[in-house]
């Protein structure tokens, strides 16, 4: 498990270390999007579509994590951001990894949380009472967020095709869309999303879009908390 954390966010770091104490994990120091030198050490591109400093820093941090996994020759890695509640992951990780292992040869990446305020994918779980994965296209194309995902070697290699080994830098000129972590990762990789929230948000504020806390993050967090008991009852029956 890798988790991404900025040097200044010591409370978040302690929070993640506490939650991950029973796992093998590695902290990836996040890139500060306000620091042009740090950004220039990761990729050569300037903003393409008015991406914010926070969005560029977030993408750079995820690229750094995936590059680290590549350099360590990992077959797969779970990458997390540092503002997450891992309660449901602790309880049901075996179910998650079983579903991943059933599909890891067909897909490159599985998104295990979305902060899309529609909560459409979680409403799907509640209505169908089934654990399913769906391509991040069509009905589920707006499932934003790179808070947590598992990526396999094939997916890592696809991301690293944008990496210039000689210059030790990512060149994203050929990527013709927003330079946002979720847009880039989920477009480059064959990505599916799972319809159970194995993660949830915490009260830590967004470091990228502070205005999103009330209109996006809070509704998702509150929906999951309000429906947690029913979701747990459903997944318990699935586990049996």
């Amino acid at each position: 498990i890798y988790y991404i954390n900025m040097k200044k966010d010591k409370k978040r770091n302690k929070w993640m270390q506490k939650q991950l104490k029973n796992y093998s994990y590695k902290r990836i120091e996040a890139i500060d999007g306000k620091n042009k030198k740090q950004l220039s050490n990761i990729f050569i591109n300037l903003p393409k579509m008015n991406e914010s400093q926070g969005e560029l820093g977030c993408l750079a941090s995820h690229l750094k994590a995936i590059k680290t996994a590549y350099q360590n020759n990992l077959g797969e890695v779970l990458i997390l951001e540092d503002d997450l509640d891992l309660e449901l992951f602790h309880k049901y990780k075996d179910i998650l990894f079983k579903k991943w292992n059933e599909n890891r040869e067909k897909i490159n990446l599985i998104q295990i949380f979305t902060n899309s305020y529609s909560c459409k994918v979680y409403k799907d779980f509640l209505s169908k009472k089934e654990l399913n994965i769906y391509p991040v296209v069509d009905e589920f194309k707006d499932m934003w967020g790179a808070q947590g995902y598992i990526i396999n070697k094939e997916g890592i290699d696809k991301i690293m095709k944008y990496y210039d080994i000689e210059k030790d830098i990512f060149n994203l000129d050929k990527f013709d869309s927003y330079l946002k972590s979720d847009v880039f990762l989920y477009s480059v990789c064959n990505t599916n999303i799972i319809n159970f929230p194995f993660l949830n948000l915490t009260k830590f504020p967004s470091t990228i879009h502070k205005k999103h806390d009330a209109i996006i993050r809070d509704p998702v967090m509150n929906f999951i908390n309000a429906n947690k008991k029913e979701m747990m009852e459903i997944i318990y029956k699935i586990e049996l």
Side-chain angles (χ1 to χ4, degrees):
I1 298 175
Y2 287 179
Y3 74 93
I4 297 169
N5 168 255
M6 292 189 73
K7 187 176 182 178
K8 67 180 180 66
D9 290 330
K10 299 185 185 305
K11 287 185 178 179
R12 293 179 184 229
N13 189 34
K14 288 182 179 179
W15 167 249
M16 292 303 291
Q17 288 177 340
K18 180 180 178 181
Q19 293 190 98
L20 293 171
K21 63 182 180 181
N22 294 323
Y23 302 89
S24 174
Y25 67 86
K26 180 179 181 66
R27 176 183 173 271
I28 302 295
E29 185 165 326
I31 302 298
D32 185 351
K34 297 178 183 178
N35 189 320
K36 291 185 178 180
K37 184 177 180 180
Q38 285 189 16
L39 280 179
S40 66
N41 287 334
I42 301 296
F43 54 76
I44 64 174
N45 310 71
L46 294 172
K48 290 185 176 183
M49 301 181 182
N50 296 318
E51 294 91 350
S52 69
Q53 293 174 327
E55 288 167 340
L56 292 173
C58 182
L59 173 57
S61 300
H62 282 272
L63 292 175
K64 179 180 179 181
I66 290 170
K67 176 187 171 186
T68 303
Y70 176 83
Q71 291 173 330
N72 289 330
N73 199 31
L74 297 186
E76 62 187 38
V77 62
L78 168 59
I79 297 178
L80 303 172
E81 295 183 352
D82 65 357
D83 56 348
L84 297 168
D85 182 339
L86 304 186
E87 176 193 359
L88 294 175
F89 175 78
H90 295 324
K91 288 179 181 292
Y92 304 114
K93 61 183 180 297
D94 290 345
I95 296 176
L96 168 63
F97 290 126
K98 180 181 178 183
K99 198 72 172 178
W100 166 247
N101 288 330
E102 290 171 353
N103 293 277
R104 57 180 296 189
E105 301 301 322
K106 307 171 191 173
I107 62 176
N108 309 139
L109 187 154
I110 188 165
Q111 183 184 354
I112 65 172
F113 179 79
T114 176
N115 64 344
S116 175
Y117 59 79
S118 71
C119 297
K120 187 187 301 181
V121 73
Y122 302 137
K123 292 174 182 176
D124 176 87
F125 177 80
L126 288 167
S127 64
K128 294 181 180 178
K129 302 187 186 321
E130 296 175 351
L131 188 66
N132 293 315
I133 64 171
Y134 300 104
V136 185
V137 294
D138 300 328
E139 184 181 1
F140 297 108
K141 67 181 179 181
D142 61 344
M143 297 295 103
W144 318 306
Q147 287 89 353
Y149 55 91
I150 306 171
I151 183 170
N152 65 14
K153 185 66 167 62
E154 185 179 355
I156 292 169
D157 288 344
K158 285 182 177 181
I159 300 296
M160 292 301 293
K161 286 182 180 179
Y162 289 85
Y163 179 69
D164 187 326
I165 296 177
E166 291 184 2
K167 296 181 179 179
D168 189 25
I169 203 165
F170 283 91
N171 185 342
L172 307 184
D173 282 340
K174 294 181 181 179
F175 183 70
D176 188 24
S177 188
Y178 288 98
L179 294 180
K180 298 180 180 180
S181 53
D182 48 3
V183 175
F184 179 76
L185 296 173
Y186 303 159
S187 298
V188 173
C189 294
N190 179 6
T191 300
N192 276 211
I193 186 169
I194 197 161
N195 66 345
F196 180 86
F198 287 93
L199 308 170
N200 198 3
L201 297 169
T202 63
K203 286 294 185 180
F204 286 120
S206 173
T207 57
I208 301 175
H209 300 292
K210 293 184 179 180
K211 293 181 180 179
H212 285 187
D213 287 346
I215 60 174
I216 294 179
R217 290 170 59 90
D218 289 353
V220 175
M221 180 173 61
N222 294 337
F223 178 87
I224 293 172
N225 287 332
N227 293 279
K228 185 188 298 184
K229 182 178 179 182
E230 183 179 355
M231 288 180 163
M232 291 172 66
E233 289 173 353
I234 294 169
I235 204 163
Y236 176 74
K237 292 176 182 176
I238 293 172
E239 188 176 23
L240 292 177

